[in-house]
Amino acid sequence: QLDFWRHATSPGHPVDLRVPFPSLQAVKVFLESNNISYSIMIEDVQELLDEEKKTMMKSRRVERSTSMFDFASYHTLDEIYDWMDMLVDNHLSLVSKIQIGQSFENRPLYVLKFSTGGSTRPAIWLDTGIHAREWITPATGIWMANKIAEEYGQDPSVTTILDSMDIFFEIVTNPDGFAFTHNSDRLWRKTRSINAGSHCIGVDPNRNWDAGFGGSGSSSNPCSETYRGPYAHSEREVKAIVDFIHGHGNIKSVISIHSYSQMLLFPYGYKTAPAPDHQELNELAKKAVSDLAALYGTKYTYGSVVDTIYMADGTTIDWAYDNGVKYAFSFELRDTGRYGFLLPSTQIIPTAAETWPALLDIMVHVLEHPY
Amino acid sequence: QAMELSPSHFSASRAAALAAAYLCYRRGNPSRGLALRGVRRARREDITDVGHKYHLELVLEDVPAKDMTLNCTAEVLYPLGSQKSAPDVQFTLEGELRDTAEADNAFYNQIKSLDQELVAEDIPDSQGNVPPALEPVHLLAWVASGYLIWQNSTENTKFQLAQVKRVKQVPGHGCSQLLPFSSSVFSLQEIIPWQMRVLWHPQHGVQVTEDRHQPQHRLQ
């Protein structure tokens, strides 16, 4: 029953043996009563084996994931959070994951940080998934985050950007809403916070920012999809970003990605007066949508929010702009209403691939126009 | 005098969406929908005591034959005042629409001869999929929603069919097929549950005989 790992060779030389648990007492008694000294090298062999198996499985999963993550499918929150860890594991010197807060339902709010060093370098902020039903946006975000990681050191633009700037990318900006679209209501938009005195749930996270808050471009009715919330930054999901950007102090661009309509927008939404940088932002948008159309002919319109869609107050990009972030843009991805929010997954990669050059245009411009 | 608008301006895109929806209702069927591809030119004319008239040059695409595009001019008149009358839409298509008589008749015969009434839910589904066999049902709903959109639009709205929640064919309506749809219609961020009863016959086209919608904010 004893398993000799090193057999007896000659007197005076040690012997190694593995003792099954039921025999342990008997073996000890035998050795002691025969004056054979012994020492325990491994207390619990099974434990060691279990550890090793875990490590093996983990690396197998990581390996599998690298080449097998399906960018052409829509994923659940758990799958996206797992993929984030995988991205970090595969690009340890470039990508890290930070937590900037918690959602209303206590889900972690994760941000991917792309950095080649320095200390609080000028940075670009990207977010997708702020509106839950806009599934194409986190799907595009995942593809783009992966692209950024892969192209550092390969693509000249990505490399020069990351050599002097950092990128912060929040893929699922509204995880409570996102989970709700998977489990309950595919067309949910808002957060899932409880509204005092109302049976209706949730606040529009893109009307909750402190920029023109509370105007005619948002609703005071908790049952509305554009409900602004009880006060600016009432939503933890919004406050976390506000605190992060203020705390960082060196964010030079905020690009918030939505769907749908095929538009590239810039401030303002809360007032009709053109932003002081209107001309520059307009020219940049024009170039970006032209490069976007180059791939598949997808036509985008562009302009300020108030001219192109409607008056909207308390929005992300207006807040960013009014807080010193000059290059504040909002994308509205595919399509124009044929499928709307229910964009077929076959369009994920084409959408991401065509949007990528437009995003790069903006990031390169930010890099080349420091302020 | 008409004022030139940027094709990106929201008033142009809303009028264009309305025109496209109306066009789709008038010329669409289960084998051919029409969707707006882009706005080439837009002008607005304010007619005293009458309303706002938009002169549009549009590019439409044939759904599902996406590569077929069609130029179109349209005039959309939103009436002034509180009488709730539908906008007036006039249009001219440049060129001919793809002929779908064969496909229409095939679909008609197919659903006429089903053993059980056609029932379907969630078109498209969460992933945006529409089973090929249900594509004509999807298009029929899309065409019928064009009627709803036309009847209910103002300069302050932009309606679009978001999803068909449920459809159940009702047999025994003479030659025409009756399909009542429960749908979600999307307008400026709000989702509006909207029921419509749709009659269809390949030669008689699409008719919405009845529709009902819940108030603006759906139950949460």
Side-chain angles (χ1 to χ4, degrees), chain A residues 280-294:
Chain A
E280 184 186 355
L281 298 175
N282 198 62
E283 281 304 306
L284 180 52
K286 182 176 180 185
K287 175 174 181 10
V289 311
S290 166
D291 288 340
L292 189 151

Side-chain angles (χ1 to χ4, degrees), chain B residues 77-99:
Chain B
L77 174 60
Y78 294 100
L80 269 181
S82 51
Q83 40 7 345
K84 297 214 154 200
S85 57
D88 181 76
V89 185
Q90 306 294 325
F91 67 88
T92 312
L93 285 171
E94 285 172 36
E96 289 195 9
L97 290 169
R98 181 172 56 94
D99 178 33

Side-chain angles (χ1 to χ4, degrees), chain B residues 1-3 44-54 155:
Chain B
Q1 320 101 298
M3 181 181 79
R44 191 178 91 197
E45 192 189 338
D46 293 348
I47 307 173
T48 333
D49 296 332
V50 178
H52 295 155
K53 187 185 249 196
Y54 290 80
E155 274 172 295

Side-chain angles (χ1 to χ4, degrees), chain A residues 292-299 334 349-351 353-354:
Chain A
L292 189 151
L295 197 52
Y296 298 112
T298 304
K299 278 189 165 37
R334 289 193 192 184
I349 295 184
T351 301
E354 72 190 0

Side-chain angles (χ1 to χ4, degrees), chain A residues 3 15 21 68 75 81 126 137 142 169 212 214 216 268 322 366 370:
Chain A
D3 178 12
V15 155
F21 188 74
M68 288 186 66
H75 291 280
Y81 279 7
L126 303 168
T137 71
I142 289 169
F169 206 152
S216 57
Y268 284 109
D322 278 353
V366 174

